[in-house]
Amino acid sequence: MTPDLSWMLQDIVQNVPLARHAVLLSADGLPRGATEGLDPKDVDTISAAMAGMQSLSRATAHFAGSAKEGEWSQTVIEFDHGWIFLIGAGQGAYLAAAAEPDVDMQQISFRMHRLVARLGNNLTSPPRVPTDEYGASGSGAADRPGATGGSGFVLPELDRAVAEVRGARHAVLLGGDGLPRGATSAMSRDLADTISAAMTGIHAYSRVTSQFAGAVENATWRQTVIEFSHGWIFLIAAGDGAFLAASAEHDCDIEEFTTRLHQAVPELTAHSAPGGRVGDV
């Protein structure tokens, strides 16, 4: 019988100011423990959503960059009313924590990783996620010259955003229907379609977790950030139900890149509607 480890999770909410909740879950979406004050139904929903999002995150590893042995590090979801953090907690297990907007992010990250170390007697070390398992070699379609979806599919606004930040790789605009409306010139149409499908799911799972970040009506999702050992993936709101997915190498200045992406959003508004110029391609 799997032990209930809820009592160990209290360390986070008791020692990190503005931390709200913590949930320990298995890779197949089953809860293994939760802090006090969470409804069991919410724990089940959060666990299932986090497991589903993590499965899709692994499938996007090649979007973050080419690496023989890339390893997922963490996923962070930002709402206007709080944060959610997800890290590995051993073989086939994950630790999720929620906090208010002004939480000390370094402190909660430290507590989460320290808790994982304490859980070592019950859980084994986090699994590595090889990117080449998903066909992410350096010779993949995303990196082949001329492998783009055609001139009508390229968004100059995204090309400029990527070109202006060292280490930035790709970006794709998704409409409210989850279909790609356009992408950077180095990104193939096949990759744009694949990433768009995965990101649509990640976006849906992210929104499902809003109650975990705090009980707020009409909560606004802002972004989901996935960190791998070899790179980053960003998913940000782009207005009118659209969202923007982008990737960068691990040494990229992520603050500069996300700022540049947000600056590009108003320029992209015309392309996010199903009847827009790029969406008709």
Side-chain angles (χ1 to χ4, degrees), residues 2-10 24 32-34 119 122-123:
T2 302
D4 187 330
L5 303 174
S6 298
W7 65 275
M8 296 188 71
L9 305 184
Q10 290 297 131
L24 183 68
R32 297 189 61 179
L119 290 168
N122 300 281
L123 305 167

Side-chain angles (χ1 to χ4, degrees), residues 12 15-20 76 81-85 97-109 112:
I12 294 176
N15 292 291
V16 180
L18 305 183
R20 284 175 167 152
V76 179
H81 66 292
W83 297 88
I84 294 175
F85 308 88
E100 297 181 26
D102 295 330
V103 70
D104 185 323
M105 297 180 71
Q106 288 186 334
Q107 185 178 10
I108 194 168
S109 177
M112 290 178 71

Side-chain angles (χ1 to χ4, degrees), residues 236-253:
I236 66 174
D240 296 325
F243 39 102
L244 181 62
S247 62
E249 298 173 5
H250 201 267
D251 61 353
C252 175
D253 185 328

Side-chain angles (χ1 to χ4, degrees), residues 54 57-58 60-62 64-73 126-134 136-137 227-231 250:
Q54 178 54 21
S57 297
R58 292 198 303 271
T60 65
H62 60 292
S66 301
K68 291 183 178 180
E69 292 187 353
E71 184 179 358
W72 170 80
S73 299
R128 295 174 67 88
V129 183
T131 58
D132 56 359
E133 178 183 346
Y134 305 99
S137 65
E227 181 186 4
F228 295 92
S229 61
H230 65 292
H250 201 267

Side-chain angles (χ1 to χ4, degrees), residues 19-127:
R20 284 175 167 152
H21 307 292
V23 171
L24 183 68
L25 59 130
S26 64
D28 54 2
L30 298 177
R32 297 189 61 179
T35 49
E36 298 174 359
L38 280 172
D39 186 287
K41 290 183 179 179
D42 291 337
V43 173
D44 290 342
T45 299
I46 293 159
S47 298
M50 290 294 181
M53 182 167 57
Q54 178 54 21
S55 178
L56 287 174
S57 297
R58 292 198 303 271
T60 65
H62 60 292
F63 186 47
S66 301
K68 291 183 178 180
E69 292 187 353
E71 184 179 358
W72 170 80
S73 299
Q74 65 175 333
T75 297
V76 179
I77 309 171
E78 181 185 4
F79 295 92
D80 58 352
H81 66 292
W83 297 88
I84 294 175
F85 308 88
L86 182 69
I87 66 171
Q91 185 69 39
Y94 303 102
L95 175 63
E100 297 181 26
D102 295 330
V103 70
D104 185 323
M105 297 180 71
Q106 288 186 334
Q107 185 178 10
I108 194 168
S109 177
F110 169 77
R111 284 284 177 178
M112 290 178 71
H113 283 90
R114 194 176 81 161
L115 177 57
V116 168
R118 290 178 57 201
L119 290 168
N121 292 332
N122 300 281
L123 305 167
T124 57
S125 60

Side-chain angles (χ1 to χ4, degrees), residues 225-236:
V225 180
I226 308 169
E227 181 186 4
F228 295 92
S229 61
H230 65 292
W232 300 85
I233 293 175
F234 310 93
L235 188 63
I236 66 174

